[in-house]
Amino acid sequence: RSAESISVAASAAIASIEEKLLTSGQREVDSVYVGELVMAELKRLDKVAYIRFASVYKNFEDLAEFQDAIEAVGGGQELSPKA
């Protein structure tokens, strides 16, 4: 993919997140909600970026959590929230 197409896709993802936040009707939104929106867009755009972001956002602590995330991306599943 060219840098221009990546930039256009990233801009569209940001616009989508902004629209969801603005149309939520809330003056304040929980950071968890924002994080989930970002993860959904990254999963759609770039699987590797999704795994990288998820590993920090979800605070992966071992290899099994990375493997679960990779399997979730491959199978179209969502990562479950960390307890």
Side-chain angles (χ1 to χ4, degrees), residues 61-82:
E61 295 179 2
D62 58 32
L63 186 57
E65 291 180 280
F66 273 99
Q67 289 171 326
D68 290 344
I70 292 167
E71 289 173 11
V73 169
Q77 304 164 350
E78 295 297 321
L79 289 178
S80 58
K82 202 165 187 171

Side-chain angles (χ1 to χ4, degrees), residues 16-82:
S16 174
I17 292 168
E18 286 177 340
E19 181 180 346
K20 288 173 183 159
L21 292 172
L22 291 171
T23 59
S24 72
Q26 300 176 8
R27 289 185 71 179
E28 294 183 17
V29 293
D30 192 339
S31 62
V32 172
Y33 178 61
V34 176
E36 294 298 326
L37 292 175
V38 170
M39 285 185 46
E41 290 297 325
L42 283 174
K43 187 174 183 183
R44 186 179 61 77
L45 288 175
D46 184 329
K47 306 295 190 222
V48 174
Y50 169 80
I51 296 296
R52 289 177 177 166
F53 182 83
S55 71
V56 174
Y57 181 71
K58 299 281 187 179
N59 195 26
F60 290 179
E61 295 179 2
D62 58 32
L63 186 57
E65 291 180 280
F66 273 99
Q67 289 171 326
D68 290 344
I70 292 167
E71 289 173 11
V73 169
Q77 304 164 350
E78 295 297 321
L79 289 178
S80 58
K82 202 165 187 171

